[in-house]
Each structure stands twice: as C-alpha cells, then as structure tokens.
Coordinates of all heavy atoms in Angstrom, one line a residue:
M39 N -22.0 -14.1 2.8 CA -21.0 -14.4 3.8 C -20.4 -13.1 4.3 O -20.5 -12.0 3.7 CB -19.9 -15.3 3.3 CG -18.9 -14.7 2.3 SD -17.6 -15.8 1.7 CE -16.5 -14.7 1.2
K40 N -19.8 -13.2 5.5 CA -19.1 -12.0 6.1 C -17.8 -11.8 5.4 O -17.0 -12.7 5.1 CB -18.9 -12.3 7.6 CG -18.6 -11.0 8.4 CD -20.0 -10.5 8.9 CE -19.8 -9.3 9.8 NZ -21.0 -8.6 10.1
C41 N -17.5 -10.5 5.1 CA -16.2 -10.1 4.4 C -15.1 -10.4 5.3 O -15.1 -9.9 6.5 CB -16.3 -8.7 3.9 SG -14.8 -8.1 3.2
I42 N -14.0 -11.0 4.9 CA -12.8 -11.3 5.8 C -11.9 -10.2 5.8 O -10.9 -10.1 6.5 CB -12.2 -12.7 5.5 CG1 -11.7 -12.7 4.1 CG2 -13.2 -13.8 5.8 CD1 -10.8 -13.9 3.8
V43 N -12.0 -9.2 4.9 CA -11.1 -8.1 4.7 C -11.5 -7.0 5.7 O -10.7 -6.6 6.6 CB -11.0 -7.6 3.3 CG1 -10.1 -6.3 3.2 CG2 -10.5 -8.7 2.4
C44 N -12.7 -6.5 5.6 CA -13.1 -5.4 6.4 C -13.8 -6.0 7.7 O -14.0 -5.2 8.6 CB -14.0 -4.4 5.7 SG -15.6 -5.1 5.1
Q45 N -14.3 -7.2 7.6 CA -15.0 -7.9 8.7 C -16.2 -7.0 9.2 O -16.6 -7.1 10.3 CB -14.0 -8.1 9.9 CG -12.8 -8.9 9.5 CD -12.0 -9.4 10.7 OE1 -12.0 -8.8 11.7 NE2 -11.3 -10.4 10.5
D46 N -16.7 -6.3 8.2 CA -17.9 -5.5 8.5 C -19.0 -5.7 7.5 O -20.2 -5.8 7.9 CB -17.4 -4.1 8.5 CG -18.5 -3.1 9.1 OD1 -19.3 -3.6 9.9 OD2 -18.5 -1.9 8.8
G47 N -18.7 -5.9 6.3 CA -19.7 -5.9 5.3 C -20.1 -7.4 5.0 O -19.5 -8.3 5.3
E48 N -21.2 -7.5 4.3 CA -21.8 -8.8 3.8 C -21.4 -8.8 2.3 O -21.5 -7.8 1.6 CB -23.3 -8.9 4.0 CG -23.6 -9.2 5.5 CD -23.3 -10.6 5.9 OE1 -23.3 -11.5 5.1 OE2 -22.9 -10.7 7.1
T49 N -21.2 -10.0 1.8 CA -20.9 -10.1 0.3 C -22.2 -10.4 -0.4 O -23.1 -11.1 0.2 CB -19.9 -11.3 0.0 OG1 -20.4 -12.5 0.5 CG2 -18.6 -10.9 0.7
R50 N -22.3 -10.0 -1.6 CA -23.5 -10.3 -2.5 C -22.9 -10.8 -3.8 O -21.9 -10.4 -4.2 CB -24.2 -9.0 -2.8 CG -25.0 -8.5 -1.6 CD -25.6 -7.2 -1.9 NE -26.1 -6.5 -0.7 CZ -27.3 -6.7 -0.2 NH1 -28.2 -7.5 -0.8 NH2 -27.8 -6.1 0.9
A51 N -23.8 -11.6 -4.5 CA -23.4 -12.1 -5.8 C -23.3 -11.0 -6.8 O -24.1 -10.1 -6.8 CB -24.4 -13.1 -6.3
G52 N -22.2 -11.0 -7.6 CA -22.0 -10.0 -8.5 C -21.0 -10.5 -9.6 O -20.8 -11.7 -9.8
A53 N -20.2 -9.5 -10.2 CA -19.2 -9.9 -11.1 C -18.0 -9.0 -10.9 O -18.1 -7.9 -10.5 CB -19.8 -9.7 -12.6
T54 N -16.9 -9.5 -11.3 CA -15.6 -8.8 -11.1 C -14.7 -9.0 -12.3 O -15.0 -9.8 -13.2 CB -14.9 -9.2 -9.8 OG1 -13.9 -8.2 -9.5 CG2 -14.4 -10.6 -9.8
T55 N -13.6 -8.4 -12.2 CA -12.6 -8.6 -13.3 C -11.3 -9.2 -12.7 O -10.9 -8.8 -11.6 CB -12.2 -7.2 -13.9 OG1 -13.3 -6.6 -14.4 CG2 -11.1 -7.3 -14.9
V56 N -10.9 -10.3 -13.3 CA -9.7 -11.0 -12.9 C -8.6 -10.7 -13.8 O -8.7 -10.9 -15.0 CB -10.0 -12.6 -12.8 CG1 -8.7 -13.3 -12.5 CG2 -11.1 -12.8 -11.8
T57 N -7.4 -10.4 -13.3 CA -6.2 -10.1 -14.1 C -5.2 -11.1 -13.7 O -4.8 -11.4 -12.6 CB -5.7 -8.7 -13.8 OG1 -6.8 -7.8 -14.0 CG2 -4.6 -8.4 -14.7
L58 N -4.6 -11.8 -14.8 CA -3.6 -12.9 -14.5 C -2.4 -12.5 -15.4 O -2.6 -12.0 -16.6 CB -4.2 -14.2 -14.8 CG -5.3 -14.8 -14.0 CD1 -6.0 -15.9 -14.6 CD2 -4.8 -15.1 -12.6
A59 N -1.2 -12.8 -14.9 CA -0.1 -12.7 -15.8 C 0.3 -14.0 -16.4 O 0.3 -15.1 -15.7 CB 1.1 -12.2 -14.9
R60 N 0.7 -14.0 -17.6 CA 1.0 -15.2 -18.3 C 2.2 -15.1 -19.3 O 2.0 -14.3 -20.2 CB -0.2 -15.8 -19.1 CG 0.2 -17.1 -19.8 CD -1.0 -17.4 -20.8 NE -0.7 -18.7 -21.6 CZ -0.4 -18.7 -22.9 NH1 -0.2 -17.6 -23.5 NH2 -0.1 -19.8 -23.5
K61 N 3.3 -15.6 -19.0 CA 4.5 -15.6 -19.9 C 4.7 -14.2 -20.4 O 4.8 -13.9 -21.6 CB 4.3 -16.6 -21.0 CG 4.2 -18.0 -20.6 CD 4.0 -19.0 -21.7 CE 3.7 -20.4 -21.3 NZ 3.2 -21.3 -22.3
G62 N 4.7 -13.2 -19.5 CA 5.1 -11.8 -19.9 C 4.0 -11.0 -20.4 O 4.2 -9.9 -20.8
H63 N 2.8 -11.5 -20.5 CA 1.7 -10.6 -20.9 C 0.5 -10.8 -19.9 O 0.5 -11.8 -19.1 CB 1.3 -10.8 -22.3 CG 0.6 -12.0 -22.7 ND1 1.2 -13.0 -23.4 CD2 -0.6 -12.4 -22.5 CE1 0.4 -14.0 -23.6 NE2 -0.7 -13.7 -23.1
M64 N -0.4 -9.9 -20.0 CA -1.5 -9.9 -19.0 C -2.8 -10.3 -19.7 O -3.0 -10.0 -20.8 CB -1.8 -8.4 -18.5 CG -0.6 -7.7 -17.9 SD -0.2 -8.4 -16.4 CE -1.5 -7.8 -15.3
V65 N -3.5 -11.1 -19.0 CA -4.8 -11.6 -19.5 C -5.9 -11.1 -18.5 O -5.8 -11.3 -17.2 CB -4.9 -13.1 -19.5 CG1 -6.3 -13.5 -20.1 CG2 -3.8 -13.7 -20.5
V66 N -6.8 -10.2 -19.0 CA -7.8 -9.7 -18.2 C -9.2 -10.3 -18.5 O -9.6 -10.3 -19.6 CB -7.9 -8.1 -18.4 CG1 -9.0 -7.5 -17.6 CG2 -6.6 -7.4 -18.2
I67 N -9.8 -10.9 -17.6 CA -11.1 -11.5 -17.7 C -12.2 -10.8 -17.1 O -12.1 -10.6 -15.8 CB -11.0 -13.0 -17.2 CG1 -9.7 -13.8 -17.6 CG2 -12.3 -13.8 -17.6 CD1 -9.7 -14.1 -19.1
K68 N -13.1 -10.3 -17.9 CA -14.2 -9.4 -17.3 C -15.4 -10.3 -17.0 O -15.6 -11.4 -17.6 CB -14.5 -8.3 -18.3 CG -13.3 -7.5 -18.6 CD -13.7 -6.2 -19.5 CE -14.6 -5.3 -18.7 NZ -14.0 -4.0 -18.4
D69 N -16.3 -9.7 -16.2 CA -17.6 -10.4 -15.9 C -17.4 -11.8 -15.2 O -18.2 -12.7 -15.5 CB -18.5 -10.5 -17.1 CG -18.7 -9.1 -17.7 OD1 -18.8 -8.1 -17.0 OD2 -18.7 -9.0 -19.0
V70 N -16.4 -12.0 -14.4 CA -16.3 -13.2 -13.7 C -17.2 -13.2 -12.5 O -17.3 -12.3 -11.7 CB -14.8 -13.4 -13.2 CG1 -14.6 -14.7 -12.5 CG2 -13.9 -13.3 -14.4
P71 N -18.0 -14.2 -12.4 CA -18.9 -14.3 -11.2 C -18.2 -14.3 -9.9 O -17.1 -15.0 -9.8 CB -19.7 -15.7 -11.4 CG -19.4 -16.1 -12.8 CD -18.2 -15.4 -13.3
A72 N -18.6 -13.5 -8.9 CA -17.9 -13.4 -7.7 C -18.9 -12.9 -6.6 O -20.0 -12.5 -6.9 CB -16.8 -12.4 -7.8
E73 N -18.5 -13.1 -5.4 CA -19.1 -12.5 -4.2 C -18.4 -11.2 -4.0 O -17.2 -11.2 -3.8 CB -19.1 -13.4 -3.0 CG -19.9 -14.7 -3.1 CD -21.3 -14.4 -2.9 OE1 -21.7 -13.7 -2.0 OE2 -22.2 -15.0 -3.7
I74 N -19.2 -10.1 -4.0 CA -18.6 -8.8 -3.7 C -19.0 -8.2 -2.4 O -20.2 -8.2 -2.1 CB -19.1 -7.8 -4.8 CG1 -19.0 -8.4 -6.2 CG2 -18.3 -6.5 -4.8 CD1 -17.6 -8.5 -6.8
C75 N -18.1 -7.7 -1.6 CA -18.4 -7.0 -0.3 C -19.1 -5.7 -0.6 O -18.5 -4.9 -1.3 CB -17.1 -6.9 0.5 SG -17.4 -5.9 2.0
E76 N -20.2 -5.6 0.0 CA -21.0 -4.3 -0.2 C -20.3 -3.2 0.5 O -20.7 -2.0 0.3 CB -22.5 -4.5 0.2 CG -22.6 -4.8 1.7 CD -24.0 -5.2 2.1 OE1 -24.9 -5.1 1.1 OE2 -24.3 -5.4 3.2
H77 N -19.4 -3.5 1.4 CA -18.9 -2.4 2.3 C -17.5 -1.9 1.7 O -17.3 -0.7 1.4 CB -18.6 -2.9 3.7 CG -18.1 -1.9 4.6 ND1 -18.8 -0.8 5.1 CD2 -16.9 -1.7 5.2 CE1 -18.1 0.0 5.9 NE2 -16.9 -0.5 5.9
C78 N -16.6 -2.8 1.5 CA -15.3 -2.4 1.0 C -15.0 -2.8 -0.5 O -14.0 -2.4 -1.1 CB -14.1 -3.1 1.8 SG -13.9 -4.8 1.7
G79 N -15.9 -3.6 -1.1 CA -15.7 -3.9 -2.5 C -14.8 -5.0 -2.8 O -14.5 -5.4 -3.9
E80 N -14.3 -5.7 -1.7 CA -13.4 -6.9 -2.0 C -14.2 -7.9 -2.7 O -15.4 -8.1 -2.5 CB -13.0 -7.4 -0.6 CG -12.1 -8.7 -0.7 CD -10.7 -8.3 -1.2 OE1 -10.3 -7.1 -1.3 OE2 -10.0 -9.3 -1.6
D81 N -13.5 -8.6 -3.7 CA -14.2 -9.6 -4.4 C -13.7 -11.0 -4.1 O -12.5 -11.2 -3.9 CB -14.1 -9.4 -5.9 CG -12.7 -9.1 -6.4 OD1 -11.8 -9.3 -5.6 OD2 -12.5 -8.7 -7.5
Y82 N -14.6 -12.0 -4.0 CA -14.2 -13.4 -3.7 C -14.7 -14.2 -4.9 O -15.9 -14.4 -5.1 CB -15.0 -13.8 -2.5 CG -14.5 -13.0 -1.3 CD1 -15.3 -11.8 -0.9 CD2 -13.5 -13.4 -0.5 CE1 -14.8 -11.1 0.2 CE2 -13.1 -12.7 0.6 CZ -13.8 -11.5 1.0 OH -13.4 -10.8 2.0
V83 N -13.7 -14.7 -5.6 CA -14.0 -15.6 -6.8 C -13.7 -17.1 -6.4 O -12.8 -17.4 -5.7 CB -13.1 -15.2 -8.0 CG1 -13.4 -16.1 -9.2 CG2 -13.2 -13.7 -8.3
D84 N -14.8 -17.9 -6.8 CA -14.6 -19.3 -6.5 C -13.4 -19.9 -7.1 O -13.0 -19.6 -8.2 CB -15.9 -20.0 -7.2 CG -16.0 -21.4 -6.8 OD1 -14.9 -22.2 -6.8 OD2 -17.1 -21.9 -6.5
P85 N -12.6 -20.6 -6.3 CA -11.3 -21.2 -6.7 C -11.4 -22.0 -8.0 O -10.6 -22.1 -8.8 CB -10.8 -22.0 -5.6 CG -11.5 -21.5 -4.4 CD -12.8 -20.9 -4.8
H86 N -12.6 -22.7 -8.1 CA -12.9 -23.6 -9.3 C -12.9 -22.7 -10.6 O -12.5 -23.1 -11.6 CB -14.2 -24.3 -9.2 CG -14.1 -25.4 -8.1 ND1 -14.8 -25.4 -7.0 CD2 -13.3 -26.5 -8.1 CE1 -14.5 -26.4 -6.3 NE2 -13.6 -27.1 -6.9
I87 N -13.5 -21.5 -10.4 CA -13.6 -20.6 -11.6 C -12.2 -20.1 -11.9 O -11.8 -20.1 -13.2 CB -14.5 -19.4 -11.2 CG1 -15.9 -19.9 -11.1 CG2 -14.4 -18.3 -12.3 CD1 -16.9 -18.8 -10.8
I88 N -11.3 -19.8 -11.0 CA -9.9 -19.4 -11.2 C -9.2 -20.5 -12.0 O -8.5 -20.3 -12.9 CB -9.2 -19.1 -9.9 CG1 -9.9 -17.8 -9.2 CG2 -7.7 -18.8 -10.2 CD1 -9.6 -16.5 -9.8
Q89 N -9.4 -21.8 -11.5 CA -8.8 -22.9 -12.2 C -9.3 -23.0 -13.6 O -8.4 -23.3 -14.5 CB -9.2 -24.2 -11.4 CG -8.4 -24.5 -10.1 CD -8.8 -25.7 -9.4 OE1 -9.5 -26.5 -9.9 NE2 -8.4 -25.8 -8.2
D90 N -10.5 -22.8 -13.8 CA -11.1 -22.8 -15.2 C -10.3 -21.8 -16.1 O -10.0 -22.0 -17.2 CB -12.6 -22.6 -15.2 CG -13.4 -23.8 -14.9 OD1 -12.8 -24.9 -14.8 OD2 -14.6 -23.7 -14.7
I91 N -10.2 -20.6 -15.5 CA -9.7 -19.5 -16.3 C -8.2 -19.8 -16.6 O -7.7 -19.6 -17.7 CB -9.8 -18.2 -15.5 CG1 -11.3 -17.7 -15.4 CG2 -8.9 -17.1 -16.1 CD1 -11.5 -16.6 -14.5
V92 N -7.4 -20.3 -15.5 CA -6.0 -20.6 -15.8 C -5.8 -21.7 -16.8 O -5.0 -21.7 -17.6 CB -5.3 -21.0 -14.4 CG1 -3.9 -21.5 -14.6 CG2 -5.3 -19.8 -13.5
A93 N -6.7 -22.7 -16.7 CA -6.7 -23.8 -17.7 C -7.0 -23.3 -19.1 O -6.3 -23.7 -20.0 CB -7.7 -24.9 -17.4
S94 N -7.9 -22.4 -19.2 CA -8.3 -21.8 -20.6 C -7.2 -21.0 -21.1 O -6.8 -21.0 -22.3 CB -9.6 -21.1 -20.6 OG -9.6 -20.0 -19.8
I95 N -6.5 -20.2 -20.2 CA -5.4 -19.4 -20.7 C -4.2 -20.3 -21.1 O -3.5 -19.9 -22.1 CB -4.9 -18.5 -19.5 CG1 -6.0 -17.4 -19.3 CG2 -3.6 -17.9 -19.8 CD1 -5.7 -16.5 -18.0
D96 N -4.0 -21.3 -20.4 CA -2.9 -22.3 -20.8 C -3.1 -22.8 -22.2 O -2.2 -23.2 -22.9 CB -2.7 -23.4 -19.8 CG -2.1 -22.9 -18.5 OD1 -1.4 -21.8 -18.6 OD2 -2.2 -23.6 -17.5
K97 N -4.4 -22.9 -22.6 CA -4.7 -23.5 -24.0 C -4.6 -22.4 -25.1 O -4.6 -22.8 -26.3 CB -6.1 -24.1 -24.0 CG -6.2 -25.4 -23.2 CD -7.6 -26.0 -23.4 CE -8.0 -26.6 -22.1 NZ -9.5 -26.6 -21.9
M98 N -4.4 -21.2 -24.7 CA -4.4 -20.1 -25.7 C -3.0 -20.3 -26.5 O -1.9 -20.5 -25.8 CB -4.4 -18.7 -25.1 CG -5.8 -18.4 -24.5 SD -5.6 -16.7 -23.7 CE -7.2 -16.7 -22.8
P99 N -3.0 -20.0 -27.8 CA -1.8 -20.0 -28.6 C -0.9 -18.9 -28.2 O -1.4 -17.8 -27.7 CB -2.3 -20.0 -30.0 CG -3.6 -19.3 -29.9 CD -4.2 -19.7 -28.6
E100 N 0.4 -19.1 -28.3 CA 1.4 -18.0 -28.1 C 1.1 -16.9 -29.1 O 0.8 -17.1 -30.2 CB 2.8 -18.5 -28.2 CG 3.2 -19.6 -27.3 CD 3.8 -19.0 -26.0 OE1 4.2 -17.8 -26.0 OE2 3.8 -19.7 -25.0
N101 N 1.2 -15.6 -28.6 CA 1.0 -14.5 -29.6 C 1.8 -13.3 -29.0 O 2.4 -13.4 -27.9 CB -0.4 -14.2 -29.8 CG -1.2 -13.9 -28.6 OD1 -0.7 -13.2 -27.7 ND2 -2.4 -14.4 -28.5
D102 N 1.7 -12.3 -29.7 CA 2.4 -11.0 -29.3 C 1.6 -10.0 -28.6 O 2.0 -8.8 -28.4 CB 3.0 -10.3 -30.6 CG 4.1 -11.2 -31.2 OD1 4.8 -11.9 -30.4 OD2 4.3 -11.1 -32.4
I103 N 0.4 -10.4 -28.2 CA -0.5 -9.5 -27.5 C 0.0 -9.3 -26.1 O 0.2 -10.3 -25.3 CB -2.0 -10.1 -27.5 CG1 -2.5 -10.2 -28.9 CG2 -2.9 -9.2 -26.7 CD1 -3.8 -11.0 -29.1
L104 N 0.1 -8.0 -25.7 CA 0.6 -7.8 -24.3 C -0.5 -7.7 -23.3 O -0.3 -8.1 -22.2 CB 1.4 -6.4 -24.3 CG 2.7 -6.4 -25.1 CD1 3.3 -5.0 -25.0 CD2 3.7 -7.4 -24.6
V105 N -1.7 -7.2 -23.7 CA -2.8 -7.2 -22.7 C -4.0 -7.8 -23.5 O -4.4 -7.3 -24.5 CB -3.1 -5.8 -22.3 CG1 -4.4 -5.8 -21.3 CG2 -1.9 -5.2 -21.6
D106 N -4.5 -8.9 -23.0 CA -5.5 -9.6 -23.7 C -6.8 -9.5 -22.8 O -6.8 -9.9 -21.6 CB -5.1 -11.1 -23.8 CG -6.0 -11.8 -24.7 OD1 -7.1 -11.4 -25.1 OD2 -5.7 -13.0 -25.1
V107 N -7.8 -8.8 -23.3 CA -9.0 -8.6 -22.5 C -10.2 -9.5 -23.0 O -10.5 -9.4 -24.2 CB -9.5 -7.1 -22.5 CG1 -10.7 -6.9 -21.6 CG2 -8.3 -6.2 -22.1
R108 N -10.7 -10.3 -22.2 CA -11.8 -11.2 -22.6 C -12.9 -11.2 -21.7 O -12.8 -10.8 -20.5 CB -11.2 -12.7 -22.6 CG -10.2 -12.9 -23.7 CD -9.3 -14.1 -23.4 NE -8.3 -14.2 -24.4 CZ -8.4 -15.0 -25.5 NH1 -9.5 -15.7 -25.7 NH2 -7.4 -15.0 -26.4
H109 N -14.1 -11.7 -22.1 CA -15.2 -12.0 -21.3 C -15.1 -13.4 -20.7 O -14.5 -14.3 -21.4 CB -16.5 -11.9 -22.0 CG -17.0 -10.4 -22.2 ND1 -17.5 -9.7 -21.2 CD2 -16.9 -9.6 -23.3 CE1 -17.9 -8.5 -21.6 NE2 -17.4 -8.4 -22.8
Y110 N -15.5 -13.5 -19.5 CA -15.5 -14.9 -18.9 C -16.5 -15.8 -19.6 O -17.6 -15.4 -19.8 CB -15.8 -14.8 -17.3 CG -16.0 -16.1 -16.7 CD1 -14.8 -16.9 -16.6 CD2 -17.2 -16.6 -16.3 CE1 -14.9 -18.2 -16.0 CE2 -17.3 -17.8 -15.7 CZ -16.2 -18.6 -15.6 OH -16.3 -19.9 -15.0
V111 N -16.0 -16.9 -20.0 CA -16.9 -18.0 -20.6 C -16.9 -19.2 -19.6 O -15.9 -19.8 -19.4 CB -16.4 -18.4 -21.9 CG1 -17.3 -19.5 -22.5 CG2 -16.3 -17.2 -22.9
P112 N -18.1 -19.5 -19.1 CA -18.1 -20.6 -18.1 C -17.6 -21.8 -18.8 O -18.0 -22.2 -19.9 CB -19.6 -20.7 -17.7 CG -20.1 -19.3 -18.0 CD -19.3 -18.8 -19.2
G113 N -16.7 -22.6 -18.1 CA -16.1 -23.8 -18.6 C -17.0 -24.9 -18.2 O -18.1 -24.8 -17.6
P114 N -16.6 -26.2 -18.5 CA -17.4 -27.3 -18.1 C -17.4 -27.4 -16.6 O -16.4 -27.1 -16.0 CB -16.6 -28.5 -18.8 CG -15.3 -28.0 -19.0 CD -15.4 -26.5 -19.3
A115 N -18.5 -28.0 -16.1 CA -18.6 -28.0 -14.6 C -17.5 -28.9 -14.1 O -17.2 -30.0 -14.6 CB -20.0 -28.6 -14.3
T116 N -16.9 -28.5 -13.0 CA -15.8 -29.2 -12.5 C -16.1 -29.7 -11.1 O -15.5 -29.2 -10.1 CB -14.5 -28.4 -12.4 OG1 -14.8 -27.2 -11.9 CG2 -13.9 -28.2 -13.9
C117 N -17.1 -30.5 -11.0 CA -17.4 -31.0 -9.6 C -17.6 -32.6 -9.6 O -17.0 -33.3 -10.4 CB -18.6 -30.3 -9.0 SG -20.1 -30.4 -10.1
Ligands
ZN92 ZN1 -15.4 -5.9 3.1

C-alpha cells in the first residue's frame, strides 16, 4: 500500500518493534509483523496484532521489571 506519512513510498511486509507503556513500566515487543515503508521507514502494524499484544500484556503478572523486552508470539486468530 501507499505510505500515508511520506505519501511517496510503498510498504512491504516486514517486522518492527512495538513499545507500550503499562502501569509505569515499558514493554518492548520485537519482531512484530508489520508493513514497512521502503522510503521513510514508517511501520504499520495490524490493529488486531496490537490488540493481541495489549491483551497478553494485561495477563502478565505484576512485577518490578521496568523494561520488559519480548519477542512477539502470535496469539489465537481473532477473526
Ligand atoms: Zn513513507
């Protein structure tokens, strides 16, 4: 698809890193499938994937970790 940020590049399937804040600490999810703009590098992550990540973060137990770095694990299909 056409990039909506630079309106110049085309996006290609790739992977990106998503960072979310949760109750005072950061959760960094690596290797999240995304469409990446080949021109400006803007990443477009499927909203369903973001929902999966947020849902999985909500299930994590409370702890004292300030920055939690994880690999993306595909959740159950949500369609
Ligand atoms: Zn772009």
Side-chain angles (χ1 to χ4, degrees):
M39 70 180 202
K40 201 89 172 168
C41 176
I42 59 172
V43 174
C44 65
Q45 302 190 338
D46 193 24
E48 286 286 328
T49 60
R50 288 174 193 273
T54 190
T55 300
V56 173
T57 304
L58 296 167
R60 176 193 182 255
K61 296 176 190 168
H63 70 258
M64 305 288 289
V65 181
V66 180
I67 313 290
K68 300 183 69 110
D69 303 325
V70 179
E73 291 283 317
I74 314 288
C75 174
E76 62 186 2
H77 183 73
C78 70
E80 180 69 14
D81 50 9
Y82 298 88
V83 181
D84 189 314
H86 290 113
I87 292 177
I88 298 287
Q89 281 177 13
D90 279 351
I91 293 171
V92 170
S94 65
I95 288 172
D96 282 343
K97 283 182 218 153
M98 290 178 193
E100 296 272 344
N101 57 41
D102 293 329
I103 298 169
L104 294 179
V105 180
D106 192 348
V107 182
R108 291 162 185 264
H109 278 284
Y110 175 68
V111 178
T116 51
C117 54

